[in-house]
Amino acid sequence: MFSRLLHSISAKRPDIHMHRYPKNQGYIYSTEAFRDILTRECARSDRNGHAFSLAVLHLSANPESEAISNAMVELVGDRLRVTDQAGWLQPDAQLAILLYACSTEAARGFVERIRTDGPFPSLGYDVFSYPEEFPEGLSNGCLEATHA
């Protein structure tokens, strides 16, 4: 019932730009919408002390970045938990996944499963944990192109 309410609210908000993937009803948010989500989650974490992890997939470092981008978006959208959110830090270049109440190690495992389940074994990525391991400026939705 609550998920239907959230869906009806989201459907009435055209300012939230997202792509919907019907397999699990996951969403990939636009850069602007995801920046707002990330800023709000950092503030929420500061207030209540709950940590979260952010996995950043670096898609633009690959020669077939557009094909990888489309395949990765579908793969990620299919694996999101109800509590997770994904969106673009940089359109078609950095796809970020906000993993609530998830340790850095568990977030790395999540990304590794994505890399091995799809044709992306050499995909670069970073995993950050808020507030301990978050780069300066990332809470504003900005991340310089640094990848592992």
Side-chain angles (χ1 to χ4, degrees):
M1 183 163 152
F2 184 68
S3 65
R4 278 189 269 148
L5 173 65
L6 285 179
H7 177 65
S8 68
I9 291 169
S10 296
K12 294 176 185 173
R13 295 217 31 219
D15 58 317
I16 298 178
H17 304 289
M18 59 187 135
H19 301 286
R20 182 172 178 194
Y21 295 90
K23 290 179 185 174
N24 74 341
Q25 315 239 332
Y27 296 95
I28 307 297
Y29 289 91
S30 70
T31 303
E32 296 79 19
F34 192 73
R35 184 175 295 126
D36 291 343
I37 290 166
L38 187 56
T39 301
R40 181 180 61 242
E41 195 55 34
C42 288
R44 182 178 296 152
S45 179
D46 291 342
R47 183 177 61 248
N48 67 25
H50 294 146
F52 64 88
S53 289
L54 184 75
V56 180
L57 309 176
H58 302 283
L59 307 178
S60 64
N62 295 283
E64 308 89 19
S65 63
E66 186 176 339
I68 288 175
S69 210
N70 292 335
M72 185 60 71
V73 162
E74 188 169 331
L75 189 61
V76 167
D78 191 36
R79 284 167 174 69
L80 292 178
R81 301 174 299 179
V82 172
T83 57
D84 300 333
Q85 301 197 351
W88 295 105
L89 285 181
Q90 294 178 4
D92 297 320
Q94 290 181 321
L95 181 62
I97 307 154
L98 192 73
L99 300 161
Y100 296 102
C102 185
S103 70
T104 303
E105 296 78 27
R108 285 189 196 284
F110 176 83
V111 174
E112 286 299 326
R113 283 188 300 281
I114 287 173
R115 289 175 70 184
T116 58
D117 288 352
F120 317 108
S122 62
L123 182 72
Y125 71 93
D126 288 304
V127 174
F128 305 103
S129 179
Y130 189 87
E132 296 86 23
E133 304 167 347
F134 236 54
E136 187 74 28
L138 188 55
S139 61
N140 294 326
C142 304
L143 179 64
E144 295 301 317
T146 60
H147 44 280

